[in-house]
């Protein structure tokens, strides 16, 4: 099941769609996970979340809300050399990332090691957060929305959100469902 949020994208969409469409993936992930567990369907599918996922914190938050796979789009493109010129669909990418024109492709600055390095840092951040929370692998986190990911150091709640109810994000259904072992891509060999 793919849950995509409103944030992210390569910038090839019309500006009105980028600015005025969609909802955060966190809302969709929590709702999808809850619905699948309530209907005893959770172990029949993998849930993938994307839409502005950029950091290890985002991966851990996505896992807590039920995500098992995570899509990194824009940030991987930027790591490869994209400058977000928003002309992907015109075949005129100024740095040669999204074009088939040989003279523009020659300008491509990307190196695979930049993308690999970025994901190594994301993985390290995920490991640090999991260790801080007392978990050994990502599968243990999946669907545990009641884990307090970032407690405030001073113990106070922000005043802007005093009346905000977020129970639907954290009060996920009690069930005997457990993520089926290590989280892996649906395309990976067993």
């Amino acid at each position: 099941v793919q849950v995509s949020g409103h944030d992210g994208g390569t910038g090839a969409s019309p500006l009105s769609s980028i600015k005025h469409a969609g909802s955060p993936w966190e809302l969709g992930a929590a709702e999808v996970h809850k619905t699948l567990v309530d209907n005893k369907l959770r172990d029949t599918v993998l849930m993938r979340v994307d839409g502005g996922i950029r950091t290890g914190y985002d991966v851990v938050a996505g896992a807590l809300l039920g995500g098992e796979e995570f899509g990194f789009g824009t940030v991987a493109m930027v790591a490869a050399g994209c400058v977000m010129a928003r002309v992907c669909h015109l075949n005129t990418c100024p740095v040669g990332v999204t074009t088939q024109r040989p003279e523009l492709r020659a300008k491509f600055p990307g190196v695979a090691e930049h993308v690999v390095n970025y994901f190594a840092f994301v993985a390290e951040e995920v490991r640090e957060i999991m260790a801080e929370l007392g978990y050994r692998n990502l599968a243990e986190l999946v669907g545990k929305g009641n884990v307090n990911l970032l407690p405030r150091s001073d113990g106070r709640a922000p005043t802007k959100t005093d009346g905000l109810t977020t129970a639907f994000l954290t009060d996920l259904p009690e069930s005997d469902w457990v993520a089926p072992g290590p989280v892996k891509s649906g395309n990976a060999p067993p």
Side-chain angles (χ1 to χ4, degrees), residues 64-81:
L64 290 170
L65 295 173
E68 297 163 279
E69 295 182 352
F70 310 93
F72 290 80
T74 304
V75 74
M77 293 290 290
V78 170

Side-chain angles (χ1 to χ4, degrees), residues 12 23 41 45 67 96 99 102 117 133 149 157 168-170 173 178 185 187:
S23 301
L41 296 170
V45 297
T99 186
N117 193 35
L133 294 173
L149 187 55
F168 66 94
L169 285 173
T170 57
V178 178
S185 171
N187 297 328

Side-chain angles (χ1 to χ4, degrees), residues 126-186:
V126 169
R127 284 190 292 272
E128 289 172 4
I129 294 170
M130 285 190 318
E132 194 175 308
L133 294 173
Y135 290 93
R136 294 175 46 150
N137 63 56
L138 198 58
E140 294 174 2
L141 284 173
V142 176
K144 305 277 192 273
N146 57 348
V147 173
N148 191 0
L149 187 55
L150 273 184
R152 283 182 57 119
S153 58
D154 59 8
R156 294 181 302 120
T159 56
K160 274 186 169 182
T161 57
D162 280 344
L164 184 63
T165 302
T166 58
F168 66 94
L169 285 173
T170 57
D171 294 342
L172 296 177
E174 291 294 325
S175 76
D176 55 359
W177 180 81
V178 178
V183 177
K184 61 183 186 292
S185 171

